[in-house]
Amino acid sequence: MSLEKQQFIESKFLSVFNDKSFKEILSKEDYNKYIEARKTVFFNKGEALFEEGNNVDGVYFIENGTAKLYKLGFNRKEQILRFIKEGDIIGYRALLIGEAYQATAEAMSDLQAIFIPTDVFLHLLEVDSQLSYAMLQKISFELGESSNTVTFLAQKTVRERLAEVLLLLEQKLGTDPEGFIRISLTREEIANLIGTATESAIRLISEFKQDDYIAVEGRNIKILNHEKLKKLGHVVL
């Protein structure tokens, strides 16, 4: 999906998922119920917002910080599904189909979120058609991303996958004032994302650095040559 389309979906969701919009659309009773039920919650880096297998009690709207959503394999190894940033909402998939959380959400930085209990969130979807439509768009987008991931892992080489992951991380999370992608990943986490051994990820990152595709400072990565990475990864953004 193009960056423009992704940004449109995100901005559409944010335009209806906020106190001002709810106050205009909801009845006074429903709005007061929402205000009374929502809670601002804080998590330290490394702390779980929710864990795989836990019962669903609500959704989290991220106000500040980043998180990762992952599942554990049979050997207890993490499989990162996606990254969460400011403006994202998580926990709704399990909530909507009435099952336990199927993944763990872990803060990758100090994080602030708005927690909305299950009954209140479901009622918002029932009475606010604009929010329901925006949620459908988000769900459709994430389904498309999941489909792309299957193709990504099955058909691309590890070198191609690393090129694409770096471009997508920059697109999703943005960059800091110095141009580094706004996330600090261990080499193990990068290996997890591209489906390879940690040693292979370390070697590839070193090769990308030597080829002047990227700059590396510790765990931080800056893309230096977007066009070469796009060509290498066969990526269209």
Side-chain angles (χ1 to χ4, degrees), residues 79-148:
Q79 176 59 58
I80 297 175
L81 304 177
R82 61 190 176 97
F83 293 101
I84 313 300
K85 62 177 178 59
E86 178 182 333
D88 285 340
I89 185 170
I90 55 173
Y92 61 83
R93 194 197 69 83
L95 182 153
L96 290 173
I97 60 177
E99 65 180 15
Y101 291 118
Q102 296 299 296
T104 296
E106 179 183 310
M108 300 190 71
S109 65
D110 290 344
L111 184 147
Q112 177 179 325
I114 296 295
F115 173 76
I116 303 175
T118 296
D119 61 332
V120 175
F121 181 69
L122 289 176
H123 188 65
L124 288 176
L125 293 178
E126 290 175 0
V127 299
D128 189 340
S129 60
Q130 293 185 58
L131 175 61
S132 296
Y133 182 68
M135 287 299 303
L136 281 174
Q137 286 186 311
K138 283 184 68 66
I139 293 169
S140 297
F141 169 72
E142 290 175 9
L143 282 173
E145 291 296 285
S146 297
S147 177
N148 290 339

Side-chain angles (χ1 to χ4, degrees), residues 43 47-51 60 62 67 90 104-107 111 113:
F43 298 89
E47 191 174 357
L49 284 73
F50 54 78
E51 296 184 355
Y60 295 85
I62 311 302
I90 55 173
T104 296
E106 179 183 310
L111 184 147

Side-chain angles (χ1 to χ4, degrees), residues 69-81:
L69 197 66
Y70 68 87
K71 292 180 68 70
L72 290 178
F74 67 92
N75 58 355
R76 306 297 294 174
K77 183 177 180 181
E78 288 184 12
Q79 176 59 58
I80 297 175
L81 304 177

